[in-house]
């Protein structure tokens, strides 16, 4: 359901806005300050025919997120055929060589499986060190190389393609996996088809040399499964979309006023009562330990870390309905609460009962979660005195630390952040809100994930007349999602405190995977590129050209997307 405004008027408006932004930036203002309401409802360009149609072998300058460096080769392309094998090199590196080998093989199997579906070729996975045996096809080669430069890091890789082979080398299996996502993008869009492609597509990879590693260690996306519940299979579909763009953290917002979505055996009422509903009054749902662990496993296979969030002391009506003894402030609304107001509920901030409760929840989540983080929420608590609120955050943070995890909190928890408190702040109110507290927390050593609502909240409407989503943080078109810098959006933050970006997708208005897709695509790739690509690659004009080519890829994969006219989609697509 594309929404269009008058192309010419919108374009003129956009050009004026861009000119104004550039002028303000040149005058020393943060770019974000220049983006108020003006121009946000318009689309940039009438969505005319694309110059960058996906014909011929795709070259490395079409990758999203843009790699660190791409050198096009001059030789002939590599062609995948029925003879192509995926070869895995012997695991090098220190410690756990066998485990590494298993993970490398799993990466190779995932790649082979992804290529088998559209090509129909067998793409067997073969192990063996060194070059291919004499007479054997070299094919696609994945190899751990611990001697690669240190700056390659845990997720960097090098991909070289010539007529004989595609070689991906990395220091870790995660780096190899990221490299395989690049390889998918070097192939024609039909490679994403879930069934065999019989239109004569030529499965070629242009000769290229790509050297790549991420700008930030934390690149996340959040899914709110509390306002509307999404099944484990639906969450896996969400993970598939994130993995394509090298996102490495999946934050699950597991609890809110409208529902509690994770089983805690010591607290059975949470799922007997608290999970029974969702926004609008439809039945909710919850994850058993096995469901949750299956999501974690699926994410791990794609080198994403799951960050579970239990949002307390506010956003807790489902807790209060399940355990009324925690409602000492009498803030509960009648159960089920199916509306979308925020800020009204709180659990008791003090007393043994509430910390026994949080202790049970933290222990279970820590038990189920292999990743280092537990998100404790902490946003929008309007019913507590600041001292009580801060004491609560400190005590729950201490429980998380005692359980061996790093507490993450929304930016309201900043006063409790720093050594042994909240370790990671998620800065959503980044248009000046809580600036001083976040700066002070960063000065004490807390790290910051940038999630400015007016840029990264993928539940914000694209424009004011868009049928899905909300607009309390403004509207977020693709240009707005892309056109900011995580390091400098808040100039007050100390250098080095920003560790990454995250795009939250709240679901007050979204109840199906199809609706998630319309909000996620094409904005997720914008945030993913901010998280991965070097700052020097930031270029809206080039980005929207590259994004235009993703449409055909999403169509082949069966993913929905919003065909915003800011992006010059090829006329042949859809
Ligand atoms: C939030 O948007 N309340 C974190």
């Amino acid at each position: 359901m594309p929404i269009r405004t008058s192309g010419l008027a919108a374009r003129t408006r956009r050009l004026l806005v861009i000119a104004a932004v550039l002028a303000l930036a040149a005058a020393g203002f943060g770019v974000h300050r220049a983006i108020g309401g003006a121009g946000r409802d318009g689309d940039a360009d009438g969505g005319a025919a694309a110059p960058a149609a996906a014909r011929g072998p795709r070259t490395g300058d079409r990758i999203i997120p843009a790699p660190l460096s791409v050198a096009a080769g001059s030789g002939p392309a590599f062609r995948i055929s029925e003879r192509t094998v995926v070869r895995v090199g012997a695991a090098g590196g220190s410690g756990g060589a066998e485990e590494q080998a298993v993970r490398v093989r799993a990466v190779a199997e995932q790649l082979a499986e992804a290529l088998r579906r559209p090509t129909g070729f067998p793409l067997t996975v073969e192990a063996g060190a060194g070059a291919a045996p004499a007479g054997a096809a070299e094919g696609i080669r994945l190899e751990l190389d611990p001697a690669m430069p240190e700056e390659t890091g845990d997720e960097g890789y090098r991909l070289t393609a010539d007529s004989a082979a595609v070689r991906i080398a990395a220091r870790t299996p995660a780096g190899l996996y990221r490299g395989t996502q690049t390889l998918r993008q070097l192939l024609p869009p039909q490679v994403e088809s879930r069934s065999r492609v019989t239109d004569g597509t030529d499965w070629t990879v242009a000769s290229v040399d790509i050297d790549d590693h991420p700008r930030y260690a934390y690149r996340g996306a959040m899914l709110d499964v509390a306002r509307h519940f999404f099944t484990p299979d639906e969450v896996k579909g969400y993970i598939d979309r994130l993995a394509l763009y090298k996102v490495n953290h999946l934050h699950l917002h597991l609890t809110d006023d409208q529902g509690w979505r994770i089983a805690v055996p010591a607290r059975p009422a949470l799922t007997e009562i608290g999970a029974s509903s969702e926004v609008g009054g439809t039945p909710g749902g919850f994850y058993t330990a096995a469901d949750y662990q299956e999501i974690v496993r699926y994410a791990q296979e794609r080198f994403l870390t799951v960050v579970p969030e239990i949002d307390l002391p506010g956003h807790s009506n489902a807790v209060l309905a399940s355990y009324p003894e925690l409602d000492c402030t009498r803030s509960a609304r009648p159960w089920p609460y199916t509306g979308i107001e925020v800020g009204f509920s709180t659990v008791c901030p003090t007393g043994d009962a509430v910390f026994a409760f949080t202790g049970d929840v933290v222990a279970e989540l820590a038990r189920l979660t292999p990743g280092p983080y537990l998100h404790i929420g902490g946003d929008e608590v309007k019913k507590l005195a600041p001292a009580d609120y801060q004491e609560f955050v400190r005590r729950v943070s201490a429980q998380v630390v005692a359980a061996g995890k790093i507490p993450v909190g929304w930016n309201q928890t900043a006063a409790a952040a720093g050594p042994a408190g909240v370790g990671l702040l998620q800065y959503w109110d980044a248009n000046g809100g809580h600036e001083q507290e976040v700066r002070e927390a960063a000065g004490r050593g807390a790290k910051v994930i940038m999630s400015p609502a007016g840029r990264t909240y993928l539940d914000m409407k694209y424009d004011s007349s868009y049928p899905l989503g909300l607009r309390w943080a403004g509207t977020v078109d693709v240009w707005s999602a892309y056109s900011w810098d995580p390091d400098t959006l808040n100039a007050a933050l100390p250098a080095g405190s920003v560790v990454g970006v995250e795009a939250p997708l709240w679901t007050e208005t979204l109840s199906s995977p199809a609706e998630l897709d319309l909000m996620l695509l094409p904005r997720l790739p914008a945030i993913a590129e901010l998280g991965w690509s070097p700052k020097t690659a930031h270029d809206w004009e080039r980005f929207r050209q590259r994004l235009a080519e993703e449409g055909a890829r999403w169509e082949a994969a069966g993913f929905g997307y919003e065909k915003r006219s800011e992006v010059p989609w090829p006329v042949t697509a859809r």
Side-chain angles (χ1 to χ4, degrees), residues 222 227 253 309 311 315 342 379-380 410-412 426 428-429 453 457 472 504 506:
M222 189 203 83
R227 269 53 174 274
H253 182 74
E309 179 188 353
D311 198 354
H315 289 270
V342 299
D379 58 324
E380 295 177 317
W410 295 107
N411 55 232
Q412 287 92 336
Q426 189 164 6
W428 65 280
D429 196 5
Y457 272 30
W472 56 263
W506 303 96

Side-chain angles (χ1 to χ4, degrees), residues 462-489:
Y462 289 92
D463 63 49
S464 56
S465 62
Y466 193 71
L468 298 172
L470 299 172
R471 56 171 306 183
W472 56 263
T475 54
V476 178
D477 57 15
V478 187
W479 183 84
S480 302
Y482 184 72
S483 302
W484 61 286
D485 177 42
D487 269 352
T488 56
L489 183 69

Side-chain angles (χ1 to χ4, degrees), residues 95-409:
E98 211 166 298
E99 190 191 322
Q100 295 273 65
V102 168
R103 294 217 85 183
V104 171
R105 188 162 185 111
V107 170
E109 287 290 355
Q110 282 188 76
L111 174 67
E113 183 54 30
L115 299 179
R116 279 178 201 133
R117 283 181 311 219
T119 64
F121 301 145
L123 286 146
T124 54
V125 175
E126 295 181 6
E138 173 114 53
I140 300 168
R141 178 171 200 87
L142 307 184
E143 194 149 41
L144 288 182
D145 180 1
M148 286 179 78
E150 212 162 297
E151 76 226 23
T152 308
D154 285 347
E155 294 183 278
Y157 64 92
R158 178 147 185 217
L159 185 154
T160 53
D162 56 32
S163 60
V166 175
R167 300 177 196 84
I168 303 176
R171 290 165 64 99
T172 66
L176 292 177
Y177 182 81
R178 304 292 178 234
T180 63
Q181 302 313 303
T182 294
L183 174 56
R184 285 167 80 155
Q185 289 194 26
L186 289 169
L187 285 157
Q190 296 91 322
V191 75
E192 296 306 328
S193 172
R194 297 317 192 232
S195 55
R196 184 158 181 190
V197 176
T198 55
D199 65 0
T201 294
D202 209 5
W203 304 108
T204 52
V205 179
S207 170
V208 75
D209 186 349
I210 295 175
D211 202 353
D212 201 10
H213 64 255
R215 178 179 178 191
Y216 293 109
Y218 189 110
R219 305 174 311 279
M222 189 203 83
L223 183 61
D224 170 9
V225 295
R227 269 53 174 274
H228 280 102
F229 181 66
F230 292 87
T231 65
D233 278 348
E234 290 167 345
V235 176
K236 288 181 183 178
Y238 191 72
I239 292 170
D240 289 342
R241 287 143 177 81
L242 308 186
L244 282 176
Y245 298 102
K246 303 187 174 82
V247 170
N248 67 355
H249 287 81
L250 169 67
H251 168 183
L252 287 175
H253 182 74
L254 288 167
T255 73
D256 215 301
D257 289 314
Q258 299 86 349
W260 181 281
R261 308 297 177 208
I262 181 81
V264 178
R267 301 284 170 167
L270 288 172
T271 40
E272 285 162 10
I273 298 170
S276 63
S277 184
E278 60 183 11
V279 168
T282 34
F286 67 93
Y287 306 123
T288 62
D291 291 335
Y292 178 81
Q293 286 172 312
E294 173 60 13
I295 292 170
V296 167
R297 186 201 62 75
Y298 190 87
Q300 275 180 324
E301 238 173 43
R302 286 149 187 81
F303 298 89
L304 277 93
T305 299
V306 171
V307 182
E309 179 188 353
I310 299 300
D311 198 354
L312 292 171
H315 289 270
S316 53
N317 206 61
V319 175
L320 303 179
S322 308
Y323 291 98
E325 63 270 29
L326 300 179
D327 187 19
C328 60
T329 68
R330 299 270 176 271
S331 65
R333 298 257 174 100
W335 185 254
Y337 176 68
T338 61
I340 63 168
E341 278 176 64
V342 299
F344 60 86
S345 58
T346 180
V347 295
C348 290
T350 56
D352 293 344
V354 74
F355 295 110
F357 173 82
T358 56
D360 288 342
V361 171
V362 165
E364 179 64 359
L365 266 248
R367 185 181 78 81
L368 296 177
T369 304
Y373 304 118
L374 290 194
H375 200 308
I376 62 170
D379 58 324
E380 295 177 317
V381 183
K382 300 183 182 164
K383 294 283 172 64
L384 292 182
D388 282 345
Y389 166 80
Q390 282 168 25
E391 180 61 13
F392 179 89
V393 170
R394 276 194 200 95
R395 288 194 60 176
V396 177
S397 299
Q399 288 177 322
V400 171
V401 171
K405 301 294 181 187
I406 299 168
V408 188

